[in-house]
Amino acid sequence: MDVIVNAAASADGKLSSRRREQLAISGADDFARVDRLRAASDAVVVGVGTVLADDPHLTVKDDDLRSQRREDGRPGNPARVVVDSRGRTPTDAAVLDDEATTYVCLSEAAPVDRRMALADHAELITAGEERVDLLRAFATLQEDGLEQLMVEGGGELIFSLFEAGLVDELRLFVGPKIIGGRDAPTLADGEGFVSEFPTLELAAVDRIDDGVVLTWRVEDR
């Protein structure tokens, strides 16, 4: 399995403001790059915080890219995966529409009523007691034939994936904004590392819109 984290951050490393409102950090060319990466992936992965804050569809926007996927014998859109330990995903969330298959990864702590509600809209994966065990959940996704996963956030999930040693590649658009704020989300939130920091190898630097896309491969996994 190949796990690619893709994100857009301000020049000072923030994903959004302290209000956690969605901001347009990149521009049209980078949006097209992200759409191509989605189209090349088997699934798009987000944490429940992103679903609650932004209500994304996580589908391929370009008609030609969707058509190409179908010509290749794949669904028009990649699957969607929500990491949601407690089953907080609303049943009317855009990510649960019928545009693509959706998996919701739960922990055993998710209430029964939430499981029952979500089971009508998504494939459920249970892994872990209090929090989703990402290693087990991703192994289940791989068993279902999902080989390239594109992770779109947020910062808590991205940190957890690095902590679990699951990230193969990081693609980061760094845009021309200063957001600031000690409480604004960053690329990798969570508890943070104090030792055994993941090591990255810079693979490419590409100027796009008014920023740059930095591509790193993860060395120590």
Side-chain angles (χ1 to χ4, degrees):
M1 175 181 283
D2 195 25
V3 178
I4 301 171
V5 171
N6 183 82
S10 61
D12 58 331
K14 306 296 185 180
L15 299 184
S16 66
S17 73
R18 68 179 187 276
R19 295 180 179 176
R20 298 183 179 266
E21 298 168 337
Q22 189 174 27
L23 299 175
I25 294 174
S26 62
D29 289 344
D30 191 59
F31 292 156
R33 177 191 67 84
V34 172
D35 209 33
R36 291 192 296 272
L37 181 55
R38 280 186 184 175
S41 299
D42 297 313
V44 180
V45 186
V46 296
V48 66
T50 297
V51 172
L52 295 173
D54 302 335
D55 195 25
H57 282 89
L58 304 179
T59 53
V60 175
K61 309 306 179 188
D62 186 87
D63 291 340
D64 290 339
L65 290 174
R66 288 198 303 274
S67 296
Q68 185 61 57
R69 283 179 57 92
R70 294 189 183 100
E71 289 177 12
D72 294 340
R74 298 184 295 168
N77 288 298
R80 286 85 56 97
V81 179
V82 181
V83 178
D84 181 5
S85 295
R86 303 279 173 167
R88 295 188 293 147
T89 301
T91 54
D92 62 350
V95 76
L96 297 180
D97 63 19
D98 59 2
E99 293 296 317
T101 299
T102 301
Y103 296 82
V104 178
C105 301
L106 305 166
S107 73
E108 294 174 6
V112 173
D113 61 330
R114 294 303 305 151
R115 292 173 180 277
M116 294 177 62
L118 290 169
D120 291 334
H121 303 275
E123 301 288 333
L124 303 186
I125 296 173
T126 302
E129 295 183 3
E130 295 295 326
R131 298 180 60 189
V132 172
D133 182 326
L134 292 168
L135 285 168
R136 287 171 51 194
F138 277 36
T140 300
L141 294 171
Q142 188 172 26
E143 289 170 3
D144 273 11
L146 306 181
E147 291 294 341
Q148 178 170 303
L149 304 186
M150 174 190 181
V151 180
E152 294 200 23
E156 295 279 346
L157 174 61
I158 291 171
F159 171 78
S160 296
L161 289 168
F162 273 106
E163 186 179 38
L166 284 167
V167 181
D168 296 284
E169 186 172 298
L170 170 63
R171 301 184 189 182
L172 178 65
F173 176 88
V174 181
K177 279 186 171 64
I178 297 294
I179 295 174
R182 65 179 60 89
D183 297 324
T186 64
L187 175 70
D189 286 333
E191 295 182 2
F193 295 102
V194 295
S195 64
E196 299 181 2
F197 304 98
T199 302
L200 308 178
E201 178 185 1
L202 186 63
V205 179
D206 299 293
R207 182 167 181 171
I208 189 169
D209 294 323
D210 288 325
V212 293
V213 177
L214 304 173
T215 301
W216 285 284
R217 296 293 298 179
V218 181
E219 290 185 333
D220 299 330
R221 298 184 66 245

